[in-house]
Amino acid sequence: NDQSELSADFIARLRQSDILLVCPVDENCELDGKTLDVETSIQRLEDDTVIAALVIPQGFETDLQTFQEVSIIYYTNENLQSGTPVGTAVTAVIERMNSASVAGRIGAMVGDGIGNGFASDSERDAFSQDVYDRAMQLINSQPVVIHYILTEQGEVSAADASGGFGQSIPGIGAMQVLFTVVGGLVTLLH
């Protein structure tokens, strides 16, 4: 964790899934006084204490804001060939952040292409951040919610169906809208 505002936001969004225990933020992590680092996390995976660990790299926020590629390392003992609730929750958070980041970048590029552009780099960065924030608000409106239910022998009562986590469909849908809008703007600019 690079201790940045965006990494804290990423962790907060993971915690909103209601299916993840995020250590060391959440209680009940059973760390027994150990510092949670990569080695400890891998050992906890090998001991089957946890099923996944994420490493947020140093410079996460800076790289994301400057549109550099960011690699979050995901260690797991899950079967990656089939969807799992933990993997799906992590992917959903990353897709939302990616969609908002792309929207912010495209907004800044369109702003650069209109008229005289921005008066300064700080004005461009502020505009890009505003677009990012608004995109995150829209993405988080969660038009579709998936409820995961673990059943025993196929029997589920209506009372058992209240859990789960919300996941919007920002990936493909947002990108289609974004490319349609950008295509229209590019046509207008030419």
Side-chain angles (χ1 to χ4, degrees):
N1 182 342
D2 73 340
Q3 305 296 320
S4 68
E5 188 176 320
L6 271 179
S7 64
D9 182 55
F10 177 72
I11 291 168
R13 291 177 190 285
L14 286 174
R15 292 180 75 215
Q16 288 174 350
S17 73
D18 293 330
I19 64 163
L20 302 177
L21 178 66
V22 181
C23 295
V25 179
D26 293 329
E27 296 178 15
N28 303 324
C29 286
E30 301 173 11
L31 291 173
D32 299 325
K34 296 179 185 174
T35 301
L36 190 61
D37 55 18
V38 175
E39 292 77 25
T40 303
S41 297
I42 291 172
Q43 185 61 51
R44 289 168 58 90
L45 278 165
E46 291 171 356
D47 295 342
D48 288 328
T49 306
V50 297
I51 58 172
L54 290 170
V55 177
I56 301 171
Q58 287 293 337
F60 173 77
E61 180 173 76
T62 303
D63 289 347
L64 196 62
Q65 289 175 335
T66 57
F67 311 112
Q68 303 299 313
E69 181 177 305
V70 178
S71 293
I72 295 174
I73 300 171
Y74 182 70
Y75 296 96
T76 186
N77 57 16
E78 296 176 293
N79 178 354
L80 296 178
Q81 293 180 347
S82 62
T84 62
V86 173
T88 301
V90 171
T91 300
V93 171
I94 290 171
E95 285 178 357
R96 289 174 181 166
M97 292 185 86
N98 282 342
S99 295
S101 180
V102 168
R105 184 173 187 182
I106 290 173
M109 290 168 55
V110 169
D112 282 339
I114 296 175
N116 294 328
F118 296 101
S120 66
D121 285 343
S122 62
E123 184 179 290
R124 182 181 196 274
D125 293 344
F127 178 78
S128 181
Q129 185 63 46
D130 288 345
V131 172
Y132 175 90
D133 292 342
R134 181 66 179 134
M136 283 302 283
Q137 288 174 346
L138 293 172
I139 289 166
N140 287 329
S141 66
Q142 298 188 20
V144 175
V145 177
I146 299 171
H147 292 280
Y148 285 90
I149 303 166
L150 181 60
T151 66
E152 290 187 32
Q153 300 177 1
E155 294 187 24
V156 180
S157 70
D160 295 335
S162 62
F165 65 94
Q167 177 182 347
S168 68
I169 340 174
I172 295 171
M175 292 308 294
Q176 287 176 340
V177 170
L178 200 54
F179 286 128
T180 302
V181 170
V182 169
L185 287 172
V186 168
T187 302
L188 287 173
L189 293 175
H190 284 88

